[in-house]
Amino acid sequence: MRFINNRLSLFVIFAFLGMFAASAQEIIKETQKDTVKPSVPQGRIKVDGVIAVVGDFVVLESDIDLMYREMQAQGMPVKDIPRGELLGKLMEDKLYAHHAIQDSIIVTDADVNETMNRQIDYFVEQIGSEDKMVKYFKKKNIETFRAELFEMIKNQKLTEQMQKKIMEGVEITPEEVRQYFAQFKKEDLPEFGAEMEVGQIVIKPEVTQAEKQIVIDRLRQIKKEVMDGSSFYSKAVLYSEDPGSRSSGGFIKMNRKSPLVKEFKDAAFSTDEGQISEPFETEYGYHIIYVEKIRGQDLDVRHILISPKVTPEAIQKAKEKIEKIRQRIVSGEISFADAARSESEDKETRNSGGLLMNPRTLETRFELTKLPPEIYSDVNDLKDGEVSRPILSESQRGEKTYKLYTVANRYDQHIADYAKDYTKIKDLALKEKQKKAIGKWSDEKIKSTYIKISPEYQNFPFVNHWVKK
């Protein structure tokens, strides 16, 4: 959802490949301890063999073929990658997903749909059209493709949640950080890339009351049409501007702890089951909510989001305002940081003097290669302390803002220094400890989980001990 406070990160390439290569998987029941022969569902022809079973999941020979094809499509060299290595990766994913289900980890349909829609948009962009996409992945039609992709993404998210659960209890002490750093010889110390701190000032065009009223009236009309018999689901698909829930008819499962803005939760919990709220405003626009089901403190709701549009006159006024702010900074009347605190309309960066926060490290430093591309192109040529010209920016939701950027500080590429880079070293040490925790968990679960591997793969030198002696 666009109005959830934090956004999801992108899939890393191997996680994505593992997800998509699972297209032929079936959940099976073990009927005989000496065989790997799941029953074939009615109406489906078995076209290739089962090469591994992990808990309730199987891996097919064709899964590895698909993985190779996806790697080639991404331009990755596959000549020297043995099939057993890819099988090991697929089996790891199945192990996590199996135990996530056993541990009652929940992945919501809305969350899966949001990721699926982004993935389909990416495929269409890369391949050219939905028809070409379906043909490329050798599916019968778009409905079959979406159904299979839904299950793949759901299993991948189960894997991610299981890994997160394993790692969330792992903590590290300052002494462990010191010991981790002390193990490196001088010539083997980590090297950190060049970094910079970027400041921004954001001015948003003012939305007129007339534009707000247009949206309120439109939502009230939609509400009336639904009460007269129209489908809320269809209205959400047609008119909602929330890309995260639009394709699922605006559907959201929520409770008091859900990471939604306060106004949305207040409206949802003050609306009776089967009723539709009046239009209400959040920072993302105006909404109406239909409360579909109440189960104690858990709600099933659908919503429609529409944002008021800004006029050309409002955009021009915002530009004039930010140009005056820039003139004051350049003339020395006010510092960039003070101008951000007093004038910027971005609440997430205003209190820090405009400094952007790196969502990966929760620090203000960004490695140059990991700056968002749209920001990197705007700040790359700026000198220290220089202020950019006003830049008109448009979000994925269509919200237009004017921005000023400055490079507050630059940090050259350098060998790790314990005092100066403690936070980064701590992060590396924690990741190492988390990796060991996952390895220990895997070893224990492999011993207690039903696993069967086809004979032709049993002598492969897997990283994990899949073959039980």
Side-chain angles (χ1 to χ4, degrees), residues 410-463:
R410 294 181 193 268
Y411 304 89
D412 294 331
Q413 182 172 325
H414 62 281
I415 300 298
D417 179 281
Y418 185 75
K420 295 179 180 179
D421 300 307
Y422 178 81
T423 302
K424 290 185 176 62
I425 295 166
K426 179 182 177 182
D427 186 47
L428 291 175
L430 178 60
K431 288 178 180 177
E432 181 69 19
K433 190 173 181 180
Q434 289 172 335
K435 182 179 177 181
K436 290 179 180 178
I438 287 179
K440 181 180 178 182
W441 180 92
S442 296
D443 289 343
E444 292 173 352
K445 295 302 181 182
I446 287 173
K447 292 176 183 178
S448 62
T449 304
Y450 176 72
I451 295 171
K452 192 80 171 180
I453 301 177
S454 185
E456 66 261 37
Y457 288 99
Q458 289 187 4
N459 292 324
F460 185 82
F462 294 108
V463 174

Side-chain angles (χ1 to χ4, degrees), residues 305-320:
L305 165 68
I306 301 178
S307 300
K309 304 304 181 281
V310 296
T311 63
E313 293 78 13
I315 293 174
Q316 181 60 32
K317 286 183 179 179
K319 182 180 181 181
E320 293 171 358

Side-chain angles (χ1 to χ4, degrees), residues 3-6 200-204 260-263 282-284 340-357 399 401 403:
F3 52 95
I4 290 180
N5 295 332
N6 296 312
Q200 70 172 9
I201 294 174
V202 179
I203 298 298
K204 301 177 181 179
L260 308 173
V261 291
K262 180 179 183 298
E263 298 89 346
T282 72
E283 62 190 276
Y284 301 97
R341 292 186 185 98
S342 63
E343 303 290 346
S344 181
E345 297 174 14
D346 180 58
K347 64 181 182 180
E348 293 184 3
T349 59
R350 183 171 56 219
N351 293 334
S352 65
L355 290 179
L356 297 173
M357 181 71 71
E399 182 183 37
T401 58
K403 295 180 180 180

Side-chain angles (χ1 to χ4, degrees), residues 204-341:
K204 301 177 181 179
E206 183 179 357
V207 178
T208 65
Q209 189 58 45
E211 291 296 328
K212 292 180 180 181
Q213 193 61 46
I214 290 172
V215 172
I216 292 171
D217 292 343
R218 180 70 186 112
L219 287 171
R220 284 176 175 162
Q221 179 62 29
I222 291 173
K223 176 180 177 179
K224 181 180 183 301
E225 291 171 3
V226 172
M227 294 177 69
D228 289 341
S230 295
S231 164
F232 195 100
Y233 178 102
S234 298
K235 296 293 186 183
V237 171
L238 288 172
Y239 302 115
S240 181
E241 296 174 7
D242 174 26
S245 67
R246 180 175 56 216
S247 64
S248 60
F251 183 74
I252 305 165
K253 285 183 178 290
M254 61 175 291
N255 55 43
R256 289 286 186 185
K257 295 182 179 180
S258 298
L260 308 173
V261 291
K262 180 179 183 298
E263 298 89 346
F264 191 92
K265 288 195 284 189
D266 288 347
F269 280 97
S270 61
T271 303
D272 294 332
E273 182 175 310
Q275 298 300 309
I276 302 174
S277 73
E278 282 295 306
F280 63 94
E281 186 178 13
T282 72
E283 62 190 276
Y284 301 97
Y286 284 87
H287 311 248
I288 54 172
I289 290 177
Y290 167 53
V291 178
E292 198 168 75
K293 189 73 175 176
I294 298 178
R295 299 185 306 279
Q297 291 300 305
D298 294 318
L299 304 183
D300 290 351
V301 305
R302 296 186 185 276
H303 89 113
I304 295 172
L305 165 68
I306 301 178
S307 300
K309 304 304 181 281
V310 296
T311 63
E313 293 78 13
I315 293 174
Q316 181 60 32
K317 286 183 179 179
K319 182 180 181 181
E320 293 171 358
K321 180 178 179 179
I322 205 166
E323 284 176 338
K324 290 179 181 178
I325 294 172
R326 183 180 185 277
Q327 289 171 5
R328 294 177 63 199
I329 297 171
V330 172
S331 68
E333 178 184 343
I334 189 172
S335 69
F336 190 98
D338 287 341
R341 292 186 185 98

